mmCIF file of all heavy atoms in Angstrom:
data_model
loop_
_atom_site.group_PDB
_atom_site.id
_atom_site.type_symbol
_atom_site.label_atom_id
_atom_site.label_comp_id
_atom_site.label_asym_id
_atom_site.label_seq_id
_atom_site.Cartn_x
_atom_site.Cartn_y
_atom_site.Cartn_z
ATOM 1 N N LYS N 37 195.039 0.847 -27.941
ATOM 2 C CA LYS N 37 194.191 1.388 -26.896
ATOM 3 C C LYS N 37 192.933 1.976 -27.511
ATOM 4 O O LYS N 37 192.911 2.350 -28.667
ATOM 5 C CB LYS N 37 194.934 2.476 -26.102
ATOM 6 C CG LYS N 37 196.134 1.962 -25.329
ATOM 7 C CD LYS N 37 196.773 3.098 -24.557
ATOM 8 C CE LYS N 37 197.973 2.607 -23.744
ATOM 9 N NZ LYS N 37 198.615 3.719 -23.003
ATOM 10 N N GLN N 38 191.879 2.079 -26.722
ATOM 11 C CA GLN N 38 190.654 2.706 -27.194
ATOM 12 C C GLN N 38 190.884 4.190 -27.418
ATOM 13 O O GLN N 38 191.754 4.791 -26.787
ATOM 14 C CB GLN N 38 189.531 2.505 -26.183
ATOM 15 C CG GLN N 38 189.080 1.065 -26.051
ATOM 16 C CD GLN N 38 187.906 0.939 -25.111
ATOM 17 O OE1 GLN N 38 187.636 1.846 -24.334
ATOM 18 N NE2 GLN N 38 187.215 -0.178 -25.180
ATOM 19 N N SER N 39 190.083 4.770 -28.339
ATOM 20 C CA SER N 39 190.224 6.199 -28.611
ATOM 21 C C SER N 39 189.883 7.006 -27.380
ATOM 22 O O SER N 39 189.066 6.610 -26.559
ATOM 23 C CB SER N 39 189.304 6.603 -29.772
ATOM 24 O OG SER N 39 187.965 6.327 -29.451
ATOM 25 N N SER N 40 190.496 8.176 -27.239
ATOM 26 C CA SER N 40 190.298 9.027 -26.065
ATOM 27 C C SER N 40 188.907 9.614 -26.063
ATOM 28 O O SER N 40 188.215 9.659 -27.084
ATOM 29 C CB SER N 40 191.330 10.157 -26.071
ATOM 30 O OG SER N 40 191.080 11.037 -27.149
ATOM 31 N N SER N 41 188.473 10.088 -24.903
ATOM 32 C CA SER N 41 187.155 10.716 -24.795
ATOM 33 C C SER N 41 187.091 11.983 -25.634
ATOM 34 O O SER N 41 186.041 12.345 -26.155
ATOM 35 C CB SER N 41 186.847 11.044 -23.332
ATOM 36 O OG SER N 41 187.837 11.908 -22.793
ATOM 37 N N GLU N 42 188.236 12.677 -25.781
ATOM 38 C CA GLU N 42 188.273 13.884 -26.610
ATOM 39 C C GLU N 42 188.010 13.540 -28.069
ATOM 40 O O GLU N 42 187.289 14.248 -28.777
ATOM 41 C CB GLU N 42 189.630 14.585 -26.484
ATOM 42 C CG GLU N 42 189.876 15.249 -25.146
ATOM 43 C CD GLU N 42 190.298 14.257 -24.070
ATOM 44 O OE1 GLU N 42 190.537 13.073 -24.411
ATOM 45 O OE2 GLU N 42 190.396 14.651 -22.898
ATOM 46 N N ALA N 43 188.594 12.415 -28.529
ATOM 47 C CA ALA N 43 188.396 12.000 -29.915
ATOM 48 C C ALA N 43 186.953 11.590 -30.149
ATOM 49 O O ALA N 43 186.352 11.900 -31.187
ATOM 50 C CB ALA N 43 189.338 10.859 -30.269
ATOM 51 N N GLN N 44 186.365 10.899 -29.187
ATOM 52 C CA GLN N 44 184.976 10.491 -29.309
ATOM 53 C C GLN N 44 184.055 11.709 -29.312
ATOM 54 O O GLN N 44 183.093 11.767 -30.070
ATOM 55 C CB GLN N 44 184.603 9.562 -28.151
ATOM 56 C CG GLN N 44 185.296 8.204 -28.205
ATOM 57 C CD GLN N 44 184.966 7.344 -27.003
ATOM 58 O OE1 GLN N 44 184.258 7.790 -26.103
ATOM 59 N NE2 GLN N 44 185.481 6.133 -26.974
ATOM 60 N N ARG N 45 184.350 12.681 -28.470
ATOM 61 C CA ARG N 45 183.529 13.886 -28.374
ATOM 62 C C ARG N 45 183.505 14.652 -29.691
ATOM 63 O O ARG N 45 182.500 15.277 -30.040
ATOM 64 C CB ARG N 45 184.084 14.777 -27.251
ATOM 65 C CG ARG N 45 183.222 16.002 -26.928
ATOM 66 C CD ARG N 45 183.849 16.774 -25.788
ATOM 67 N NE ARG N 45 183.087 17.946 -25.446
ATOM 68 C CZ ARG N 45 182.062 17.953 -24.602
ATOM 69 N NH1 ARG N 45 181.669 16.838 -24.031
ATOM 70 N NH2 ARG N 45 181.423 19.075 -24.316
ATOM 71 N N SER N 46 184.592 14.616 -30.435
ATOM 72 C CA SER N 46 184.698 15.371 -31.677
ATOM 73 C C SER N 46 184.256 14.561 -32.891
ATOM 74 O O SER N 46 184.440 14.993 -34.020
ATOM 75 C CB SER N 46 186.139 15.858 -31.881
ATOM 76 O OG SER N 46 187.030 14.758 -31.994
ATOM 77 N N SER N 47 183.675 13.400 -32.662
ATOM 78 C CA SER N 47 183.203 12.560 -33.756
ATOM 79 C C SER N 47 181.683 12.652 -33.867
ATOM 80 O O SER N 47 180.963 12.476 -32.883
ATOM 81 C CB SER N 47 183.616 11.107 -33.530
ATOM 82 O OG SER N 47 182.974 10.250 -34.454
ATOM 83 N N PHE N 48 181.194 12.904 -35.068
ATOM 84 C CA PHE N 48 179.747 13.002 -35.269
ATOM 85 C C PHE N 48 179.045 11.695 -34.935
ATOM 86 O O PHE N 48 177.922 11.690 -34.420
ATOM 87 C CB PHE N 48 179.451 13.404 -36.716
ATOM 88 C CG PHE N 48 177.991 13.342 -37.058
ATOM 89 C CD1 PHE N 48 177.085 14.201 -36.460
ATOM 90 C CD2 PHE N 48 177.517 12.399 -37.960
ATOM 91 C CE1 PHE N 48 175.725 14.129 -36.755
ATOM 92 C CE2 PHE N 48 176.170 12.328 -38.259
ATOM 93 C CZ PHE N 48 175.272 13.193 -37.662
ATOM 94 N N GLU N 49 179.710 10.571 -35.175
ATOM 95 C CA GLU N 49 179.101 9.272 -34.926
ATOM 96 C C GLU N 49 178.747 9.086 -33.452
ATOM 97 O O GLU N 49 177.872 8.294 -33.114
ATOM 98 C CB GLU N 49 180.042 8.150 -35.384
ATOM 99 C CG GLU N 49 180.276 8.123 -36.881
ATOM 100 C CD GLU N 49 178.968 7.931 -37.650
ATOM 101 O OE1 GLU N 49 178.115 7.163 -37.183
ATOM 102 O OE2 GLU N 49 178.816 8.563 -38.715
ATOM 103 N N THR N 50 179.436 9.815 -32.567
ATOM 104 C CA THR N 50 179.147 9.714 -31.134
ATOM 105 C C THR N 50 177.711 10.129 -30.816
ATOM 106 O O THR N 50 177.115 9.647 -29.852
ATOM 107 C CB THR N 50 180.131 10.604 -30.342
ATOM 108 O OG1 THR N 50 181.466 10.187 -30.632
ATOM 109 C CG2 THR N 50 179.892 10.490 -28.841
ATOM 110 N N TYR N 51 177.138 11.009 -31.636
ATOM 111 C CA TYR N 51 175.834 11.595 -31.327
ATOM 112 C C TYR N 51 174.707 11.094 -32.227
ATOM 113 O O TYR N 51 173.544 11.404 -31.977
ATOM 114 C CB TYR N 51 175.923 13.119 -31.446
ATOM 115 C CG TYR N 51 177.089 13.687 -30.694
ATOM 116 C CD1 TYR N 51 178.290 13.996 -31.349
ATOM 117 C CD2 TYR N 51 177.037 13.878 -29.320
ATOM 118 C CE1 TYR N 51 179.380 14.499 -30.652
ATOM 119 C CE2 TYR N 51 178.123 14.379 -28.617
ATOM 120 C CZ TYR N 51 179.290 14.686 -29.298
ATOM 121 O OH TYR N 51 180.377 15.174 -28.606
ATOM 122 N N ARG N 52 175.036 10.310 -33.245
ATOM 123 C CA ARG N 52 174.040 9.916 -34.241
ATOM 124 C C ARG N 52 172.852 9.176 -33.617
ATOM 125 O O ARG N 52 171.707 9.386 -33.986
ATOM 126 C CB ARG N 52 174.683 9.049 -35.324
ATOM 127 C CG ARG N 52 173.753 8.776 -36.501
ATOM 128 C CD ARG N 52 174.391 7.800 -37.476
ATOM 129 N NE ARG N 52 175.522 8.372 -38.153
ATOM 130 C CZ ARG N 52 175.440 9.076 -39.286
ATOM 131 N NH1 ARG N 52 174.261 9.306 -39.833
ATOM 132 N NH2 ARG N 52 176.524 9.542 -39.863
ATOM 133 N N HIS N 53 173.110 8.299 -32.669
ATOM 134 C CA HIS N 53 172.039 7.521 -32.040
ATOM 135 C C HIS N 53 171.990 7.759 -30.527
ATOM 136 O O HIS N 53 171.562 6.890 -29.774
ATOM 137 C CB HIS N 53 172.230 6.038 -32.334
ATOM 138 C CG HIS N 53 172.253 5.705 -33.802
ATOM 139 N ND1 HIS N 53 171.151 5.879 -34.617
ATOM 140 C CD2 HIS N 53 173.244 5.245 -34.599
ATOM 141 C CE1 HIS N 53 171.459 5.524 -35.849
ATOM 142 N NE2 HIS N 53 172.713 5.133 -35.869
ATOM 143 N N ASN N 54 172.416 8.940 -30.096
ATOM 144 C CA ASN N 54 172.434 9.285 -28.681
ATOM 145 C C ASN N 54 171.102 9.950 -28.308
ATOM 146 O O ASN N 54 170.738 10.989 -28.861
ATOM 147 C CB ASN N 54 173.594 10.230 -28.378
ATOM 148 C CG ASN N 54 173.851 10.384 -26.894
ATOM 149 O OD1 ASN N 54 172.926 10.472 -26.101
ATOM 150 N ND2 ASN N 54 175.119 10.427 -26.520
ATOM 151 N N GLU N 55 170.371 9.352 -27.376
ATOM 152 C CA GLU N 55 169.045 9.842 -27.023
ATOM 153 C C GLU N 55 169.058 11.179 -26.294
ATOM 154 O O GLU N 55 168.013 11.817 -26.137
ATOM 155 C CB GLU N 55 168.312 8.805 -26.163
ATOM 156 C CG GLU N 55 168.002 7.509 -26.910
ATOM 157 C CD GLU N 55 167.225 6.531 -26.056
ATOM 158 O OE1 GLU N 55 167.037 6.824 -24.842
ATOM 159 O OE2 GLU N 55 166.801 5.489 -26.575
#
Side-chain angles (χ1 to χ4, degrees):
K37 295 181 179 179
Q38 292 184 343
S39 60
S40 67
S41 58
E42 289 79 8
Q44 292 177 357
R45 187 178 180 86
S46 62
S47 170
F48 172 66
E49 295 300 322
T50 302
Y51 310 98
R52 189 186 292 272
H53 302 295
N54 193 320
E55 294 183 354

